Amino acid sequence: MDVAQLIGVGGAVVAMIYGLYIINQRITAKNQGFGPNTLKIVGVVLFIPTILILALVTSFQSETLAALLGTVAGYVLSNNSKNDGTD
Protein backbone atom coordinates (compact mmCIF):
# COMPACT_ATOMS: atom_id res chain seq x y z
CA MET A 1 0.00 0.00 0.00
CA ASP A 2 1.51 3.30 -1.04
CA VAL A 3 1.14 6.65 0.69
CA ALA A 4 -1.77 7.85 -1.46
CA GLN A 5 -3.76 4.70 -0.70
CA LEU A 6 -2.98 5.02 3.00
CA ILE A 7 -4.18 8.63 3.03
CA GLY A 8 -7.34 7.65 1.15
CA VAL A 9 -8.13 4.78 3.51
CA GLY A 10 -7.40 6.96 6.54
CA GLY A 11 -9.67 9.69 5.21
CA ALA A 12 -12.47 7.19 4.59
CA VAL A 13 -12.16 5.82 8.12
CA VAL A 14 -12.20 9.35 9.55
CA ALA A 15 -15.30 10.12 7.46
CA MET A 16 -17.02 7.02 8.87
CA ILE A 17 -16.21 7.89 12.46
CA TYR A 18 -17.19 11.55 12.03
CA GLY A 19 -20.41 10.58 10.27
CA LEU A 20 -21.39 8.25 13.10
CA TYR A 21 -20.56 10.99 15.60
CA ILE A 22 -22.81 13.49 13.78
CA ILE A 23 -25.65 10.95 13.60
CA ASN A 24 -25.30 10.31 17.33
CA GLN A 25 -25.36 14.05 18.05
CA ARG A 26 -28.54 14.52 15.96
CA ILE A 27 -30.31 11.62 17.64
CA THR A 28 -29.34 12.91 21.07
CA ALA A 29 -30.35 16.51 20.27
CA LYS A 30 -33.76 15.45 18.96
CA ASN A 31 -34.22 12.96 21.79
CA GLN A 32 -35.10 10.28 19.26
CA GLY A 33 -34.66 6.56 19.20
CA PHE A 34 -32.96 4.44 16.60
CA GLY A 35 -35.52 4.03 13.81
CA PRO A 36 -35.52 2.90 10.18
CA ASN A 37 -34.35 6.25 8.81
CA THR A 38 -31.47 6.32 11.27
CA LEU A 39 -30.52 2.82 10.23
CA LYS A 40 -30.61 3.90 6.59
CA ILE A 41 -28.26 6.84 7.13
CA VAL A 42 -25.89 4.76 9.26
CA GLY A 43 -25.74 2.26 6.42
CA VAL A 44 -24.90 5.00 3.94
CA VAL A 45 -22.28 6.57 6.23
CA LEU A 46 -20.56 3.21 6.58
CA PHE A 47 -21.10 1.78 3.11
CA ILE A 48 -19.94 4.63 0.85
CA PRO A 49 -16.51 5.03 2.50
CA THR A 50 -16.19 1.24 2.42
CA ILE A 51 -16.68 1.33 -1.35
CA LEU A 52 -13.98 4.01 -1.53
CA ILE A 53 -11.63 1.79 0.47
CA LEU A 54 -12.39 -1.15 -1.81
CA ALA A 55 -11.69 0.99 -4.86
CA LEU A 56 -8.34 2.05 -3.44
CA VAL A 57 -6.95 -1.21 -2.13
CA THR A 58 -8.44 -3.89 -4.40
CA SER A 59 -8.41 -4.52 -8.08
CA PHE A 60 -12.20 -4.52 -8.50
CA GLN A 61 -13.36 -3.52 -11.95
CA SER A 62 -15.24 -0.27 -12.35
CA GLU A 63 -18.42 -2.19 -13.20
CA THR A 64 -18.35 -3.91 -9.81
CA LEU A 65 -17.93 -0.63 -7.96
CA ALA A 66 -20.70 0.95 -10.05
CA ALA A 67 -23.01 -1.92 -9.11
CA LEU A 68 -22.23 -1.38 -5.43
CA LEU A 69 -22.94 2.35 -5.75
CA GLY A 70 -26.20 1.51 -7.53
CA THR A 71 -27.15 -0.69 -4.62
CA VAL A 72 -26.56 2.21 -2.23
CA ALA A 73 -28.65 4.54 -4.41
CA GLY A 74 -31.51 2.05 -4.50
CA TYR A 75 -31.32 1.61 -0.75
CA VAL A 76 -31.35 5.34 -0.06
CA LEU A 77 -34.15 6.09 -2.49
CA SER A 78 -36.34 3.18 -1.43
CA ASN A 79 -39.64 3.92 0.25
CA ASN A 80 -40.06 2.88 3.87
CA SER A 81 -43.83 3.23 4.03
CA LYS A 82 -45.93 0.20 4.84
CA ASN A 83 -48.16 -0.06 1.80
CA ASP A 84 -51.02 -2.52 1.84
CA GLY A 85 -51.47 -2.33 -1.93
CA THR A 86 -54.65 -0.26 -1.89
CA ASP A 87 -53.31 2.87 -3.57
Side-chain angles (χ1 to χ4, degrees), residues 5-22:
Q5 286 178 329
L6 189 62
I7 291 171
V9 170
V13 170
V14 168
M16 284 183 198
I17 293 169
Y18 183 69
L20 291 174
Y21 172 76
I22 293 297

Side-chain angles (χ1 to χ4, degrees), residues 15 31 41 49 52 58 64 67 75:
N31 204 11
I41 193 65
L52 173 66
T58 64
T64 305
Y75 179 65

Side-chain angles (χ1 to χ4, degrees), residues 23-82:
I23 293 169
N24 183 42
Q25 292 299 315
R26 296 276 302 184
I27 291 171
T28 305
K30 289 186 166 191
N31 204 11
Q32 289 181 321
F34 196 83
N37 288 330
T38 305
L39 180 62
K40 188 179 279 192
I41 193 65
V42 167
V44 169
V45 164
L46 294 177
F47 196 63
I48 291 179
T50 301
I51 293 173
L52 173 66
I53 291 170
L54 287 173
L56 290 173
V57 299
T58 64
S59 59
F60 280 164
Q61 294 180 356
S62 61
E63 292 85 8
T64 305
L65 295 171
L68 290 171
L69 284 174
T71 302
V72 172
Y75 179 65
V76 169
L77 298 174
S78 68
N79 189 1
N80 281 344
S81 66
K82 293 181 174 101

